[in-house]
Amino acid sequence: MQGRFIGESAIRPMVDVPSSFARPDEQHVLGLIDLVYEAGIGNEDWPDVLRHLGDALGGEAVVLRRLAPATPGPATLATETDPDYVARYQAHYHRLLPLLPLLPRLQPGTAFVHSALIPDAEYRRTEFYNDFMHPQGKDRGLYWVDFDRGHLSAMLSVWRPLRRPNWDDEQLRVLRAIGPHLSRALRIERGLAAAGGAFEPEAH
């Protein structure tokens, strides 16, 4: 069954991906990198690219937050997510993310599982988890973050439900390989958006 687009999100039945799913080889990773750059220059839709990335990592939902100034389009792009939850995240829950105060200690381009920063037991006691993530069936988060001039500029998260195994070193390796290209593609996107705005005719 194909995804159904509503705004910037898509809804598909949650598919249980076995822990023995085919791990991406070098050519697959290179293909994902190509798609990331194509999205950066506007030749691919970000939600489609995120879906490919989620499939390669064995995730069931992917969220990309684009927070830097001059980023075109919505700040939050999500796959396999109810659009109502995207709106709620934008309006309120992004401020409650338990990892948020911990992110400034990280280097740009860091990839990590959320339990590396906050213990699972502590995370599952938070309002963010109980009121927002748990009702969606999203439990195990794999993250990538980037910074621009010391400020969080982008955050990617890939999600699995509690019934699935936690992320392993191979999935972290793949995300770390793609991360620098994602950072560059997002900078290209912002640069093109800024250049396009600069050449718009002035209103008379």
Side-chain angles (χ1 to χ4, degrees):
M1 179 177 178
Q2 293 297 315
R4 174 165 67 89
F5 282 101
I6 304 177
E8 293 296 333
S9 302
I11 302 172
R12 289 193 302 183
M14 294 293 274
V15 178
D16 217 0
V17 182
S19 58
S20 59
F21 77 98
R23 300 180 185 277
D25 58 19
E26 183 178 356
Q27 288 303 311
H28 193 173
V29 172
L30 290 174
L32 290 169
I33 291 170
D34 285 342
L35 286 175
V36 163
Y37 282 115
E38 288 294 310
I41 62 176
N43 289 344
E44 288 284 350
D45 291 328
W46 276 113
D48 288 340
V49 175
L50 298 180
R51 189 169 294 110
H52 282 293
L53 180 57
D55 289 345
L57 292 168
E60 296 187 8
V62 183
V63 180
L64 175 63
R65 287 275 287 163
R66 301 178 298 173
L67 303 169
T71 297
T76 302
L77 302 172
T79 70
E80 326 333 319
T81 302
D82 186 328
D84 178 61
Y85 277 95
V86 178
R88 291 167 63 186
Y89 183 82
Q90 288 274 82
H92 177 65
Y93 283 99
H94 71 277
R95 294 189 293 268
L96 301 182
L97 178 67
L99 302 179
L100 205 56
L102 307 175
L103 296 181
R105 70 177 64 168
L106 302 178
Q107 293 296 315
T110 299
F112 59 96
V113 295
H114 78 249
S115 57
L117 295 188
I118 180 171
D120 282 337
E122 180 180 342
Y123 172 70
R124 293 183 182 122
R125 288 195 297 267
T126 64
E127 178 184 350
F128 180 81
Y129 176 77
N130 286 286
D131 292 357
F132 187 71
M133 299 306 292
H134 183 65
Q136 299 181 71
K138 296 176 182 176
D139 186 88
R140 304 185 185 280
L142 174 65
Y143 283 84
W144 169 88
V145 292
D146 201 15
F147 298 88
D148 184 20
R149 297 181 178 89
H151 298 285
L152 183 67
S153 61
M155 180 170 64
L156 180 87
S157 55
V158 190
W159 294 94
R160 287 177 171 176
L162 185 58
R163 68 180 182 273
R164 293 280 311 285
N166 209 343
W167 306 98
D168 61 28
D169 290 343
E170 179 65 15
Q171 285 125 29
L172 275 167
R173 183 192 67 79
V174 170
L175 187 54
R176 286 169 180 155
I178 294 170
H181 305 282
L182 179 57
S183 178
R184 293 186 194 109
L186 291 170
R187 287 202 302 270
I188 290 169
E189 180 183 52
R190 296 194 297 270
L192 290 173
F199 290 105
E200 289 178 356
E202 294 183 3
H204 295 286

